[in-house]
Each structure stands twice: as structure tokens, then as C-alpha cells.
Amino acid sequence: MKRLKDKVALITGGAAGIGLETARLFLSEGARVTLVDLHDDDLSDAARDLGSPDGLLTIAADVSSVEDCKRYVAQTLETFGRIDVFFNNAGIEGKVAPLADQKIEDFDRVMAVNVRGAFLGLQHVLPVMTGQKCGSVINMSSIAGLKGSPNVAPYITSKHAVVGLTRAAAIEVARHNVRVNSVHPSPVNTRMMRSLEEGFNPGRGDEVKQQLAETIPLGRYGESLDIANLVLFLASDDSAFITGAQYPVDGGMAAG
Ligand code: NAI
């Protein structure tokens, strides 16, 4: 039995990394999927990578824009008629620097994508789900939403804010049978982590990666599929009694 049979899933930041791998898993579990990302060419590459299946819609949009948000929700509804699962995943890492040296423009951009973008997504998707009397939202936070670490204060701030957003939204919509949870990965092998590794020590990203992996109790980075498997659980009816919760998927990192 496919776990997302007859469901429609909307994934932001879906053209790469964790979002793309989650789309692949969702499609294999019977969902129809909308991928939202910034650029048409990246979305075309992603669609090809997924085998251009029926039941895949791609929409170029910036999640931090009110107009774009309205449009990606409206186009999903026009095409598929409903939204059962919302993976609120798009995010950026910001710059690596001590808090005192961070540029306020960079802080604003990280908050615009990671917090405002997640908030806008909820604003436009939740009314659809409460109207349906069912739905599951998975907000992408991070281990950086549970713990502090040096030199990435804007990112840490934004990912902690996603926890507040998750709890606030979960309580508001629970009576409508809509669930909202957050996931908290430790470093995962994607473009974002490669950029952070280089930011921490330019030209020596591989060494940074090795050092970081050693801080993870299971001794390795996560793979996108490790995260997608948790997102699938939270998207499916297997998690029907779970809402407002924060799920580490971190090789044990949050336990230490
Ligand atoms: P990625 O960089 O591979 O993918 C992120 C995708 O989001 C890209 O395709 C990018 O174009 C898209 N995106 C960025 N800004 C956008 C915007 N304004 N509107 C629409 N799309 C936008 O990164 P990854 O690793 O797959 O990250 C996905 C999420 O997972 C992010 O929220 C990130 O903060 C979070 N995360 C990642 C971890 C990691 O180690 N890679 C660890 C913990 C959380």
C-alpha cells in the first residue's frame, strides 16, 4: 500500500538537495507533487532527474514574496484541486562570520527566506487545509533550531524562529485535523553544507567536513534520503496523532 496514495504534496526549495529527494520519495509513494524553486532551469533539471512523471508540477517562485506565494498555492489548487502535504523546506544558509561582523542586509535576507517565507507559506496553505479538514505541514528547521553554534547567528536565529512558528500554527489548526511539525537535521550532504564548509575555512572545506562529521555520534553526515524518510512519516497518516513536535534527524547530535 502506497503511503501517500491520492495525496497532493507541495514542496518548496524542491529543485535540489533535501527537497528534491523528498519529492522522489513522495512520488514513489503515490503522491502528486508541486515543486517550487527560484529558477525555471533548475526546476526543469529537477523534473528530468525525477523522470518527468505524470503528477509533477513545477513553479518558479521566491518564497519570500507575497505574490509568488499566492501564485504557487493557487496554481497547485488549479492543477490538483487540493493540498494534503506541505513541506515548507526552502532555506538559505547566510554568511559565516562572528555575530558582530554580520551585515544586517545578510541577516534580513536569511530571515526573509527562512522565516518570512515559511510564514507566508503557512498563511496561504493552512486555510486550504482547514477547509479540507485534513493536512500535514512539515516545517524545515535544523539542529541549528535547537542548539547554538558560533559564526552563523542569522541562520541559528531563523531556524529557532521556525520552532515558534510550528508550535503557534499547530495549536491554531489542530481542531481542523491539520498537523504542523518541524524537522531538525544535522549536517546533510547537499550544496548548502558544501557552501558552509567553505565558509568556515575557505579552501579547506573537506577538512571542515571531516571535523564536523566527527561531532555527530553516528559518525557521518546525513543523506537527503535520511531526512526524506522522516518527512514521509510526518506527511503520512502513520503520524496522525503527532502535531506541534520537533523531530531531530541528526545521528544523535542533539542528544549530546
Ligand atoms: P540546497 O541549497 O541544496 O536546497 C535548497 C533549495 O531551496 C535550492 O534549490 C534553492 O534554490 C531553494 N531556495 C532558496 N531560496 C529560495 C527562495 N527564496 N524561494 C524558493 N526556493 C528557494 O539545500 P538543502 O540542504 O537541501 O536545504 C533544504 C532545507 O534544509 C533548508 O531550509 C536548510 O536550511 C535545511 N537544512 C539543511 C541542512 C544541511 O546540512 N544541508 C541541515 C539542516 C537543515
Side-chain angles (χ1 to χ4, degrees), residues 13 15-19 36-38 61-64 89-92 109 113 140-143 155 159 185-188 190-193:
I18 298 166
V36 172
D37 212 299
L38 286 171
D62 179 342
V63 296
S64 68
N89 166 69
I92 57 174
R109 187 61 195 152
V113 177
M140 175 53 91
S141 179
S142 168
I143 187 84
Y155 186 72
K159 292 301 187 180
S186 56
V188 180
T190 67
R191 181 215 61 82
M192 176 178 287
M193 264 323 290

Side-chain angles (χ1 to χ4, degrees), residues 84-238:
D84 299 287
V85 176
F86 179 38
F87 185 23
N88 206 358
N89 166 69
I92 57 174
E93 65 275 24
K95 298 281 190 310
V96 177
L99 191 152
D101 298 337
Q102 291 277 352
K103 291 203 179 82
I104 199 62
E105 297 76 20
D106 293 333
F107 175 85
D108 287 345
R109 187 61 195 152
V110 169
M111 294 301 277
V113 177
N114 297 4
V115 183
R116 178 186 157 100
F119 184 88
L120 284 172
L122 286 168
Q123 270 200 320
H124 292 90
V125 170
L126 287 179
V128 176
M129 291 183 166
T130 55
Q132 293 168 176
K133 295 273 175 229
C134 73
S136 174
V137 177
I138 301 96
N139 287 330
M140 175 53 91
S141 179
S142 168
I143 187 84
L146 301 173
K147 298 173 80 157
S149 63
N151 299 323
V152 280
Y155 186 72
I156 301 250
T157 307
S158 72
K159 292 301 187 180
H160 274 71
V162 171
V163 174
L165 197 51
T166 301
R167 290 180 173 153
I171 299 303
E172 276 195 25
V173 298
R175 287 298 152 108
H176 300 278
N177 192 34
V178 176
R179 303 182 294 107
V180 186
N181 295 289
S182 59
V183 293
H184 300 260
S186 56
V188 180
N189 267 320
T190 67
R191 181 215 61 82
M192 176 178 287
M193 264 323 290
R194 280 192 294 283
S195 153
L196 282 169
E197 287 152 7
E198 281 301 313
F200 283 123
N201 198 346
R204 310 185 85 157
D206 287 346
E207 286 170 40
V208 173
K209 181 173 182 177
Q210 204 176 336
Q211 287 159 4
L212 275 173
E214 281 165 14
T215 67
I216 299 171
L218 284 178
R220 66 166 175 91
Y221 272 26
E223 299 300 331
S224 292
L225 184 58
D226 292 317
I227 318 309
N229 280 324
L230 173 61
V231 177
L232 171 62
F233 167 69
L234 291 170
S236 76
D237 296 338
D238 292 343

